[in-house]
Amino acid sequence: MASTSAEIIAFLLTISGWVLISSTLPTDYWKVSTIDGTVITTATFWANLWKTCVTDSTGISNCKDFPSMLALDGYIQACRGLMISAVCLGFFGAVFGLFGMKCTKVGGSDQTKAKIACLAGLFFILSGLCSMTSCSLYANRITSEFFDPSFVAQKYELGAALFIGWAGASLCIIGGSIFCFSIAENRTSPRRGYAYNGATSVMSSRTKVHNSVPDKNPPKHFDKNAYV
């Protein structure tokens, strides 16, 4: 029962993490920079994996999509690939998790379901690692440019999408680890053995009862003439 509850908790954690990871792809604020005027904010610059935009004080945004994938910086291409891989791995992990949980009626025996659940945990762990690597790589580029005194272009700060990606990656790794431990719990759980003694007939049961009743008649003693 405890193993089933742990698998349900792991599934909820991993699905929540996968949803957070998937939501980072269309999120706008991967990096953001604000230029303040004397009275009001004049402009807000922000960018994600697909475009870069600027929003003025009136709320009007002007965006520019990245023109060519081959002309992009290497870290943006790597982040795109890692995030798409994280979403795909999380999807397959969710499918295998449904088949491997003990509370579902599909997947086969308990041993087979434990192996499927462990495989789902591996998919979720890989998904979390891909998302963690992508967000960390993007954040490293932002921080290195921000603290570089020789960098004269527009400097950005960490956006909300990076924190969402880190949170989703952590949930996927934690939930995937719980799924992987489920196969170990299934192997160490003791099994009760039952011996089959065969069908007992009515006559044999009566014979056992008759033999179990002690003989109350005293033994007879014969003298030597009785054998002649």
Side-chain angles (χ1 to χ4, degrees):
M1 186 67 181
S3 178
T4 304
S5 301
E7 288 181 350
I8 294 175
I9 294 173
F11 185 76
L12 294 177
L13 289 176
T14 50
I15 290 298
S16 301
W18 178 61
V19 171
L20 290 177
I21 291 173
S22 302
S23 64
T24 58
L25 280 175
T27 302
D28 295 330
Y29 296 99
W30 277 66
K31 60 181 180 180
V32 61
S33 178
T34 302
I35 299 177
D36 295 330
T38 57
V39 180
I40 58 175
T41 301
T42 57
T44 299
F45 297 88
W46 51 273
N48 56 14
L49 299 178
W50 316 101
K51 59 186 177 180
T52 178
C53 300
V54 57
T55 304
D56 57 15
S57 59
T58 61
I60 300 176
S61 298
N62 295 320
C63 296
K64 179 182 179 182
D65 296 331
F66 294 133
S68 174
M69 185 182 68
L70 299 178
L72 288 175
D73 294 333
Y75 79 98
I76 296 181
Q77 295 183 10
C79 290
R80 281 183 178 182
L82 288 171
M83 291 304 297
I84 294 174
S85 300
V87 173
C88 295
L89 289 171
F91 173 77
F92 288 111
V95 174
F96 284 115
L98 288 175
F99 283 95
M101 295 175 64
K102 293 182 180 180
C103 58
T104 58
K105 297 183 180 180
V106 291
S109 62
D110 290 341
Q111 293 290 338
T112 304
K113 291 172 76 66
K115 293 179 181 179
I116 296 176
C118 182
L119 182 61
L122 291 177
F123 274 111
F124 279 119
I125 291 174
L126 291 176
S127 176
L129 291 176
C130 288
S131 177
M132 187 76 71
T133 305
S134 175
C135 295
S136 300
L137 180 62
Y138 200 92
N140 179 66
R141 182 61 177 262
I142 296 173
T143 54
S144 61
E145 292 178 353
F146 186 86
F147 293 107
D148 187 5
S150 61
F151 187 76
V152 296
Q154 180 70 33
K155 293 185 178 182
Y156 291 88
E157 296 182 2
L158 303 180
L162 298 178
F163 298 98
I164 296 174
W166 282 325
S170 301
L171 292 178
C172 284
I173 293 174
I174 294 172
S177 301
I178 298 176
F179 268 127
C180 290
F181 288 142
S182 64
I183 189 172
E185 294 178 358
N186 188 275
R187 289 179 178 178
T188 56
S189 59
R191 292 185 175 182
R192 296 181 179 178
Y194 298 92
Y196 177 71
N197 296 325
T200 304
S201 61
V202 177
M203 295 299 296
S204 60
S205 62
R206 290 180 179 178
T207 304
K208 291 181 181 180
V209 173
H210 178 74
N211 293 333
S212 62
V213 177
D215 191 4
K216 297 182 179 179
N217 297 325
K220 296 180 180 180
H221 300 281
F222 301 95
D223 54 2
K224 294 186 292 182
N225 298 327
Y227 297 97
V228 178

